[in-house]
Amino acid sequence: MRSELKVYNTLTRQKEGFLPMCPPRVGMYVCGPTVYGRAHLGHARSAINFDVVFRYLKHLGYQVRYVRNITDVGHLERDADEGADKIAQQARIEALEPMEVVQRYTNSYRQDMTLLNVQSPSIEPCASGHIPEQVAMIEQIMRAGFGYESHGSVYFDVEAYRKVYHYGKLSGRVVEELIAGTRLLSGQQEKRNQLDFALWKKATPAHLMRWPSPWGEGFPGWHIECSAIATKYLGPQFDIHGGGMDLLFPHHECECAQAQAAYRTELAKYWLHNNLITIDGQKMGKSLGNAITLEQLFHGTHPLLDQAHSPMTLRFFILQAHYRSMLSFSNEALRAAQSGYFKLMNGLKVLNELPYTESNDVGIEQTIAARVEHGCTRCYEAMNDDFNTTQMIATLFDLLKTIHALKSGQLSPGLLGPTVFEHLKNTYSTFVLDILGLQQESRVSVTALLDILLELYSQAKAQKQYSQVDAIRVKLRALGVALQDMPTGVQWSYGYAVT
Ligand code: ZN
């Protein structure tokens, strides 16, 4: 199965067989969030798409070192070299220390990821904890002749780089068009050319997040953060670099250039980009002012939402689209996703409760058994085709038809034979739980269930059915719920479970 995996590589613009550099080890880096606000749907899409890549590679037996950073410094407005630091700006709004802002939104990001059943990466480094590594990489770029100091800041020299390497090869952007399309903003005169980007920025007296460096006090640029962190933990060249399509230019192009300049390596062998979520045909993003946060989605508190949608509904909604396809947000699409999620989980419940029984009279029906086996294989084929979760989910729905026939008795497990029956169970649960990462969401209120039981208890008592009364009392006691008969009626309290 491993040898059949093909991934679409943005760098070469084609699907390629996946060949890790040091099998079975795989190094994977994905750009994480800038922690100055609650995570929104765009964050969820990138995290969930690469969570599935992480899960599937592990399922295939690879030892994956997955690094996803936390950007807690150096991310300026408009993703440019000028403007306010997003975190410092938020700190002023909330009257907090910048590091309090960082902690608050790192915590909320991790809570959201837990709700979405996104597995923690192997390493989750933050930019502020890796300043020496970033300074060292900048010095390396300067030694190689691709960086220059200007007024206490350091810039990457795109012109010098272009004489040796291809700037634009990842994103497909053409330098001449980029130059025509950009203007030199005020305060950028210290750059030699307008496409040069900051590796290190001199801190103004008011700038709160600042570190000493060979060029004076300042802070690192955003692009150098990812290159320095990725190469520290994964080496100067690693297997997969992932992120949202919106990061392709300038962020990933600059990351590529920095690694070439410093280490003369192609930073990553495979570049994977997930597409964006749109809303009314527009890109969704915090900077565009139309982003729905996960908190708003889970509570139904955004004006565009007509109800709350659960984390697993969102997970299914994201995965029923291929990661490279645009995903259009709507309440209807989320309701359809919820229904799909319920169907898959109910199928799992049926399979878990279904015992294998021999079919005495007929024996194994080869055509049906072969069809089920084929369905199981197609789940792998779909994932091996550039992580095609859309096709994989469609195949699981096909298998559901067989599962429902088994449930209704139309089909007996014996017709599949014990091997195929077990294979169906294992494959279905592996793909639903381990690879899609769906999980049970308890929607049942325990208190409401207890109220129903108390009513049954009272009815049994009124009808003098004392054996039933005792049975309910003893069973609840075993779960740590004590019943008390009061003049006003029966009441429950927390009690010690009888073990
Ligand atoms: Zn990055």
Side-chain angles (χ1 to χ4, degrees):
M1 285 299 172
R2 264 193 208 173
S3 59
E4 290 159 28
L5 175 60
K6 284 193 165 54
V7 297
Y8 181 85
N9 191 353
T10 312
L11 189 61
T12 58
R13 292 163 183 76
Q14 61 188 9
K15 273 187 205 169
E16 293 172 23
F18 181 67
L19 289 170
M21 288 188 292
C22 307
R25 284 190 293 277
V26 170
M28 175 162 105
Y29 184 85
V30 172
C31 295
T34 303
V35 281
Y36 69 107
R38 294 296 302 239
H40 56 72
L41 292 181
H43 291 114
R45 183 164 197 200
S46 185
I48 289 172
N49 283 150
F50 287 104
D51 182 51
V52 169
V53 171
F54 183 37
R55 286 165 177 268
Y56 190 61
L57 290 173
K58 286 194 293 181
H59 175 73
L60 292 182
Y62 290 116
Q63 295 162 23
V64 189
R65 181 180 288 172
Y66 175 20
V67 182
R68 190 184 62 210
N69 67 315
I70 295 279
T71 296
D72 60 353
V73 62
H75 197 155
L76 303 181
E77 276 181 308
R78 301 186 298 273
D79 300 341
D81 292 339
E82 296 300 321
D85 180 308
K86 289 175 175 176
I87 292 163
Q89 209 171 32
Q90 193 62 28
R92 271 190 290 276
I93 294 168
E94 297 195 39
L96 295 171
E97 274 292 313
M99 276 299 148
E100 276 182 291
V101 169
V102 163
Q103 193 64 52
R104 169 175 292 182
Y105 295 112
T106 301
N107 291 347
S108 68
Y109 179 76
R110 289 190 180 136
Q111 284 159 7
D112 285 336
M113 292 305 113
T114 303
L115 287 172
L116 290 168
N117 203 23
V118 168
Q119 293 184 339
S120 299
S122 326
I123 308 175
E124 197 175 32
C126 60
S128 65
H130 297 76
I131 302 294
E133 288 84 353
Q134 295 175 71
V135 167
M137 190 164 179
I138 295 168
E139 288 179 316
Q140 182 66 32
I141 291 169
M142 291 174 87
R143 273 197 298 276
F146 298 111
Y148 59 91
E149 185 188 349
S150 175
H151 303 93
S153 294
V154 181
Y155 292 96
F156 189 91
D157 190 338
V158 174
E159 270 311 304
Y161 181 80
R162 284 183 67 205
K163 293 195 174 98
V164 191
Y165 302 106
H166 179 187
Y167 184 78
K169 72 172 171 185
L170 178 68
S171 60
R173 301 287 181 107
V174 177
V175 168
E176 288 70 22
E177 288 172 10
L178 286 169
I179 292 171
T182 42
R183 61 199 164 88
L184 208 57
L185 299 167
S186 63
Q188 288 190 314
Q189 288 87 347
E190 57 191 43
K191 290 183 186 182
R192 285 183 191 160
N193 288 292
Q194 66 218 65
L195 291 189
D196 294 353
F197 54 90
L199 298 168
W200 185 267
K201 283 292 285 181
K202 180 192 172 131
T204 58
H207 202 96
L208 294 168
M209 298 169 91
R210 54 205 297 149
W211 290 266
S213 81
W215 318 287
E217 285 210 345
F219 56 96
W222 173 37
H223 315 309
I224 198 75
E225 164 193 345
C226 284
S227 305
I229 289 176
T231 50
K232 175 181 169 83
Y233 295 109
L234 300 171
Q237 196 184 15
F238 50 90
D239 297 296
I240 297 174
H241 192 310
M245 198 78 99
D246 50 338
L247 301 182
L248 182 54
F249 189 88
H251 186 50
H252 290 164
E253 192 71 58
C254 295
E255 276 197 58
C256 263
Q258 290 167 159
Q260 280 289 7
Y263 306 120
R264 292 195 289 273
T265 57
E266 204 65 79
L267 183 63
K269 204 170 162 192
Y270 303 92
W271 284 83
L272 272 61
H273 289 94
N274 66 276
N275 215 321
L276 310 175
I277 297 189
T278 57
I279 196 157
D280 295 329
Q282 265 200 317
K283 183 196 155 187
M284 182 186 285
K286 189 170 166 154
S287 52
L288 300 170
N290 65 352
I292 299 175
T293 69
L294 298 176
E295 186 188 29
Q296 289 169 328
L297 186 86
F298 300 155
H299 295 98
T301 52
H302 190 281
L304 287 167
L305 297 166
D306 59 15
Q307 66 172 94
H309 298 282
S310 80
M312 283 303 111
T313 298
L314 176 62
R315 192 170 173 110
F316 185 93
F317 170 69
I318 285 171
L319 292 177
Q320 42 98 37
H322 186 252
Y323 76 93
R324 286 194 289 116
S325 308
M326 204 74 102
L327 182 56
S328 170
F329 166 87
S330 73
N331 284 287
E332 293 69 34
L334 275 158
R335 275 191 285 277
Q338 184 186 46
S339 153
Y341 159 66
F342 284 159
K343 281 181 189 158
L344 283 189
M345 293 308 283
N346 281 329
L348 196 65
K349 185 168 175 288
V350 170
L351 277 184
N352 285 339
E353 291 166 358
L354 200 69
Y356 180 75
T357 45
E358 286 289 346
S359 154
N360 297 329
D361 40 343
V362 222
I364 298 172
E365 178 60 65
Q366 296 299 346
T367 334
I368 300 172
R371 204 178 60 214
V372 170
E373 280 286 285
H374 181 59
C376 295
T377 309
R378 276 179 50 213
C379 288
Y380 282 96
E381 285 171 354
M383 286 303 285
N384 284 341
D385 182 15
D386 194 26
F387 310 102
N388 194 334
T389 50
T390 311
Q391 195 55 50
M392 185 255 273
I393 289 173
T395 307
L396 290 175
F397 279 118
D398 263 357
L399 288 173
L400 259 184
K401 290 178 197 154
T402 307
I403 294 168
H404 286 302
L406 287 165
K407 184 192 177 190
S408 67
Q410 261 179 295
L411 188 68
S412 139
L415 293 174
L416 302 180
T419 315
V420 174
F421 182 69
E422 271 311 303
H423 194 199
L424 170 64
K425 271 185 151 176
N426 290 338
T427 307
Y428 189 87
S429 83
T430 298
F431 277 87
V432 172
L433 301 177
D434 303 343
I435 295 170
L436 287 175
L438 298 174
Q439 65 182 4
Q440 187 71 47
E441 269 179 335
S442 178
R443 298 170 160 272
V444 183
S445 151
V446 174
T447 319
L449 275 181
L450 270 174
D451 285 345
I452 295 171
L453 276 172
L454 259 54
E455 205 179 308
L456 291 173
Y457 175 87
S458 301
Q459 280 170 11
K461 209 168 162 217
Q463 289 160 11
K464 299 193 184 344
Q465 293 169 345
Y466 294 114
S467 60
Q468 196 176 344
V469 168
D470 287 344
I472 295 175
R473 183 185 286 278
V474 168
K475 281 177 183 167
L476 283 178
R477 186 69 207 217
L479 297 172
V481 176
L483 297 188
Q484 289 168 297
D485 293 303
M486 308 294 280
T488 48
V490 60
Q491 288 182 359
W492 71 270
S493 60
Y494 298 106
Y496 290 108
V498 180
T499 51

Short mmCIF file of all heavy atoms in Angstrom, two decimals, residues 29 31 69 222 226 241 251-252 255, ligand 1:
data_model
loop_
_atom_site.label_atom_id
_atom_site.label_comp_id
_atom_site.label_asym_id
_atom_site.label_seq_id
_atom_site.Cartn_x
_atom_site.Cartn_y
_atom_site.Cartn_z
N TYR A 29 6.24 19.35 7.83
CA TYR A 29 6.10 20.66 8.47
C TYR A 29 4.86 21.35 7.91
O TYR A 29 4.65 21.38 6.70
CB TYR A 29 7.33 21.53 8.18
CG TYR A 29 7.29 22.86 8.89
CD1 TYR A 29 7.75 22.98 10.20
CD2 TYR A 29 6.75 24.00 8.28
CE1 TYR A 29 7.69 24.19 10.88
CE2 TYR A 29 6.69 25.21 8.95
CZ TYR A 29 7.16 25.30 10.24
OH TYR A 29 7.09 26.50 10.91
N CYS A 31 2.55 25.04 8.38
CA CYS A 31 2.48 26.36 9.01
C CYS A 31 1.28 26.43 9.94
O CYS A 31 0.14 26.19 9.53
CB CYS A 31 2.35 27.45 7.95
SG CYS A 31 3.81 27.54 6.91
N ASN A 69 4.12 24.88 13.72
CA ASN A 69 4.57 25.98 14.60
C ASN A 69 3.42 26.83 15.13
O ASN A 69 2.29 26.77 14.64
CB ASN A 69 5.55 26.88 13.83
CG ASN A 69 4.85 27.61 12.71
OD1 ASN A 69 4.07 27.03 11.97
ND2 ASN A 69 5.09 28.91 12.60
N TRP A 222 8.49 37.06 9.41
CA TRP A 222 7.60 35.89 9.53
C TRP A 222 8.15 34.69 8.76
O TRP A 222 8.13 33.56 9.22
CB TRP A 222 6.21 36.29 9.03
CG TRP A 222 5.22 35.18 8.94
CD1 TRP A 222 5.07 34.11 9.79
CD2 TRP A 222 4.20 35.04 7.94
NE1 TRP A 222 4.02 33.32 9.38
CE2 TRP A 222 3.48 33.88 8.25
CE3 TRP A 222 3.83 35.79 6.82
CZ2 TRP A 222 2.40 33.44 7.47
CZ3 TRP A 222 2.76 35.36 6.06
CH2 TRP A 222 2.06 34.20 6.39
N CYS A 226 9.50 30.11 9.96
CA CYS A 226 9.17 28.74 9.55
C CYS A 226 10.40 28.00 9.03
O CYS A 226 10.62 26.85 9.37
CB CYS A 226 8.07 28.76 8.50
SG CYS A 226 6.45 29.09 9.21
N HIS A 241 6.13 19.77 3.08
CA HIS A 241 5.81 21.06 3.67
C HIS A 241 4.37 21.37 3.27
O HIS A 241 4.04 21.35 2.09
CB HIS A 241 6.76 22.14 3.16
CG HIS A 241 6.67 23.43 3.94
ND1 HIS A 241 5.47 24.06 4.19
CD2 HIS A 241 7.62 24.19 4.54
CE1 HIS A 241 5.69 25.14 4.92
NE2 HIS A 241 6.99 25.25 5.14
N HIS A 251 4.69 33.78 1.44
CA HIS A 251 5.31 33.06 2.56
C HIS A 251 6.12 31.84 2.14
O HIS A 251 7.31 31.72 2.46
CB HIS A 251 4.22 32.68 3.56
CG HIS A 251 4.74 32.06 4.82
ND1 HIS A 251 5.75 32.63 5.56
CD2 HIS A 251 4.41 30.92 5.47
CE1 HIS A 251 6.01 31.88 6.61
NE2 HIS A 251 5.22 30.82 6.58
N HIS A 252 5.51 30.93 1.40
CA HIS A 252 6.24 29.69 1.06
C HIS A 252 7.33 29.93 0.02
O HIS A 252 8.37 29.28 0.05
CB HIS A 252 5.25 28.62 0.59
CG HIS A 252 4.41 28.11 1.72
ND1 HIS A 252 3.26 27.39 1.54
CD2 HIS A 252 4.55 28.23 3.06
CE1 HIS A 252 2.73 27.09 2.71
NE2 HIS A 252 3.49 27.59 3.65
N GLU A 255 10.15 31.13 1.96
CA GLU A 255 10.75 30.01 2.72
C GLU A 255 11.69 29.20 1.83
O GLU A 255 12.79 28.84 2.24
CB GLU A 255 9.65 29.09 3.26
CG GLU A 255 9.04 29.54 4.56
CD GLU A 255 8.30 28.39 5.20
OE1 GLU A 255 8.92 27.35 5.46
OE2 GLU A 255 7.09 28.52 5.40
ZN ZN B 1 5.02 29.11 7.68
#
